[in-house]
Amino acid sequence: MPATASLPARRLSVAPMLDWTDRHYRYLARQISRHAWLYTEMIHAGAIIHGDAERFLGKDEGENPVSLQLGGSHPADLARAAKKAAQYGYDEINLNCGCPSPRVQKGAFGACLMNEVGLVADCLNAMQDAAPDCAVTIKHRIGIDRQTDYHTVRDFVGTLAGQTACRTYIVHARNAWLEGLSPKENRDVPPLKYDYVYRLKQDFPELEIIINGGIKTNAEIAEHLRHVDGVMIGREAYHNPMLMQAWDRLFYGERLPETDFDTLIPALYRYMQRMLAADPGLSVRHMLRHYLGLLHGRPNARLWRQMLSDAKLLQSNRPELILETWAKVSAAPEA
């Protein structure tokens, strides 16, 4: 289901990343890009059903458009989790069929689901029935282990397109190796095959096809958008968040000024104040760790990182640290 008229197209999105794309990072990303889609970390359906729903689903009102990525393989559980997510105001619910980690394999979900397309169809249909007002989408690989032929991913997508209402397919353009590679190696070692994702768009022009994997620059994004509907960026958007600074202008035709540091830093400070007032037990470290890459490739980036990660400075748990650090960085001679 493509984005509705009231929501921006999924031309740009920030990938779901475990331990990284929590609500604090997503708030930062939304200050930089008004239109890019944001994704939560993968959250297992059982954690939402049996755990603290607010902890897993709580988000800032300004985050939208935002998607919840679910892990799981039991249609009934995924449906219950999807229903709760819809109540929290998520625009999209995404099923993870790409994670290759041993823990995920043990739970029989993630990338190994690509071998059980019928079960995946049941999961997607159950989620859509439970959350009819949300887009239900899928993120998957081009194959697992030695499934290196294009027809593997073509048949997977074709079957789901015929059996479900899912119309948005986010494709990590690498195989997932379930044995022999660590999760980190699975993000780098299997070769990228962007041409497979391009062929999916040619074979299924009615579907929304979004490409993911190893994309680092706006020039690369522009090239991919010549062939597919959208681009999802992962680690580069985390380690270098200001990559997103030009996205609205370049890829959404936005005419409003791009976010600059003199606007962004006070916004982050106010956000930290608000979060600490709501939860006095929260550590500023949990928020500041997401901001360490803001000056990536810019003058005095090292000073910025050092101050925001200094254990002694963090002890007081003061949100003012970000303002003090920015003042010192701004006044320092360019290193």
Side-chain angles (χ1 to χ4, degrees), residues 279-306:
D279 180 7
L282 179 65
S283 169
V284 295
R285 186 192 300 270
H286 293 153
M287 294 175 276
L288 290 173
R289 70 187 180 98
H290 299 302
Y291 310 157
L292 297 180
L294 271 174
L295 268 67
H296 178 85
R298 298 170 188 257
N300 299 311
R302 184 178 180 185
L303 175 61
W304 171 263
R305 293 192 304 270
Q306 286 176 335

Side-chain angles (χ1 to χ4, degrees), residues 69-101:
Q69 187 183 66
L70 284 177
S73 58
H74 299 290
D77 286 352
L78 288 163
R80 290 173 66 188
K83 185 174 182 178
K84 284 195 174 185
Q87 294 168 353
Y88 273 78
Y90 284 87
D91 302 295
E92 173 190 317
I93 305 166
N94 179 265
L95 179 64
N96 182 309
C97 288
C99 182
S101 78

Side-chain angles (χ1 to χ4, degrees), residues 141-168:
R141 298 279 184 135
I142 57 174
I144 58 176
D145 295 327
R146 290 177 172 80
Q147 299 171 347
T148 57
D149 293 333
Y150 168 68
H151 72 75
T152 298
V153 67
R154 179 199 64 201
D155 293 349
F156 181 77
V157 170
T159 299
L160 293 177
Q163 295 184 7
T164 76
C166 181
R167 289 297 175 266
T168 300

Side-chain angles (χ1 to χ4, degrees), residues 6-7 28 39 66 92 101 129 141 162 187 209 215 240 298 313 326 331-332:
S6 61
L7 293 169
L28 163 68
Y39 284 70
V66 61
E92 173 190 317
S101 78
D129 289 345
R141 298 279 184 135
R187 294 192 294 267
I209 303 295
I215 304 163
N240 179 19
R298 298 170 188 257
L313 294 175
W326 176 241

Side-chain angles (χ1 to χ4, degrees), residues 11-177:
R11 289 178 65 78
L12 272 298
S13 54
V14 178
M17 291 176 279
L18 194 62
D19 297 325
W20 289 1
T21 51
D22 64 12
R23 64 188 301 175
H24 306 310
Y25 170 79
R26 297 195 306 270
Y27 182 86
L28 163 68
R30 180 57 69 223
Q31 304 316 299
I32 302 172
S33 172
R34 301 174 182 91
H35 302 304
W37 282 69
L38 306 178
Y39 284 70
T40 69
E41 310 164 82
M42 180 184 69
I43 302 171
H44 192 272
I48 294 172
I49 296 169
H50 304 295
D52 181 352
E54 176 62 28
R55 173 189 166 197
F56 293 110
L57 297 178
K59 63 181 184 64
D60 188 87
E61 291 182 1
E63 279 185 40
N64 300 68
V66 61
S67 172
L68 170 73
Q69 187 183 66
L70 284 177
S73 58
H74 299 290
D77 286 352
L78 288 163
R80 290 173 66 188
K83 185 174 182 178
K84 284 195 174 185
Q87 294 168 353
Y88 273 78
Y90 284 87
D91 302 295
E92 173 190 317
I93 305 166
N94 179 265
L95 179 64
N96 182 309
C97 288
C99 182
S101 78
R103 180 177 63 83
V104 165
Q105 290 182 56
K106 188 175 181 181
F109 63 101
C112 59
L113 284 175
M114 289 194 70
N115 278 335
E116 300 187 61
V117 67
L119 176 58
V120 173
D122 290 343
C123 291
L124 291 172
N125 286 329
M127 293 160 65
Q128 191 68 79
D129 289 345
D133 295 329
C134 290
V136 171
T137 69
I138 185 171
K139 187 173 189 291
H140 58 90
R141 298 279 184 135
I142 57 174
I144 58 176
D145 295 327
R146 290 177 172 80
Q147 299 171 347
T148 57
D149 293 333
Y150 168 68
H151 72 75
T152 298
V153 67
R154 179 199 64 201
D155 293 349
F156 181 77
V157 170
T159 299
L160 293 177
Q163 295 184 7
T164 76
C166 181
R167 289 297 175 266
T168 300
Y169 295 77
I170 304 168
V171 190
H172 188 159
R174 303 181 196 269
N175 272 45
W177 284 82

Side-chain angles (χ1 to χ4, degrees), residues 211-230:
I211 197 167
N212 169 239
I215 304 163
K216 296 183 177 180
T217 69
N218 288 334
E220 291 171 354
I221 290 170
E223 175 58 28
H224 287 301
L225 286 174
R226 295 179 58 240
H227 305 279
V228 293
D229 299 296

